[in-house]
Amino acid sequence: MNHRFKTPLALYRVGSKQGEGDNGDDLFSDRKSGKVGDLKCFVIKTETSEKTDEKPVIYIVKKTIGVPKKADVQFSDEVVLAGRRYLVIDSIPRRYWREILVTCEVKGSERA
């Protein structure tokens, strides 16, 4: 199979800040994001579903993305693809590349 890695993808590692004290009032105060690197990828599949009980409608976008096999991708990393930030929820090694499953939530506009 001739797969071409042409789409740019930025990879961010999300961790916790060390030694800066505890702030119990904010859940995200201890989150720190550091850029791991840039990769070339190709999009294999995109799935979109919606939460109908929410107003405005929130769409859940899941993508299966192929990255080089030696890419250092872990669960809970964040990737930026075409300006949108996704969360890595699965990683499957293949013969010549690695498939990662990413997801994000997108707010939609209500149609009149």
Side-chain angles (χ1 to χ4, degrees):
M1 297 178 100
N2 188 9
H3 293 282
R4 295 193 174 105
F5 294 91
K6 291 189 175 181
T7 308
L9 179 81
L11 178 65
Y12 291 88
R13 180 79 23 93
V14 179
S16 61
K17 294 180 184 177
Q18 298 288 331
E20 294 192 17
D22 291 321
N23 234 357
D25 56 348
D26 188 6
L27 292 174
F28 297 102
S29 65
D30 61 342
R31 287 176 55 94
K32 179 182 73 169
S33 179
K35 190 169 186 178
V36 175
D38 293 317
L39 304 171
K40 296 291 185 180
C41 72
F42 63 95
V43 177
I44 299 170
K45 183 171 65 170
T46 301
E47 296 177 21
T48 305
S49 60
E50 64 181 49
K51 292 182 180 179
T52 55
D53 56 344
E54 301 284 332
K55 295 289 181 185
V57 177
I58 295 178
Y59 295 97
I60 299 172
V61 180
K62 290 184 180 178
K63 289 185 180 286
T64 304
I65 300 173
V67 296
K69 190 166 186 167
K70 294 183 179 182
D72 181 24
V73 180
Q74 299 177 359
F75 297 131
S76 77
D77 282 351
E78 293 179 350
V79 296
V80 177
L81 178 67
R84 185 168 289 154
R85 192 167 276 228
Y86 295 90
L87 179 69
V88 176
I89 58 174
D90 199 6
S91 177
I92 305 165
R94 298 291 183 203
R95 186 171 181 183
Y96 296 111
W97 70 87
R98 176 180 302 277
E99 281 182 9
I100 59 173
L101 181 63
V102 297
T103 186
C104 76
E105 291 185 353
V106 179
K107 289 184 181 178
S109 60
E110 186 176 350
R111 294 183 179 175

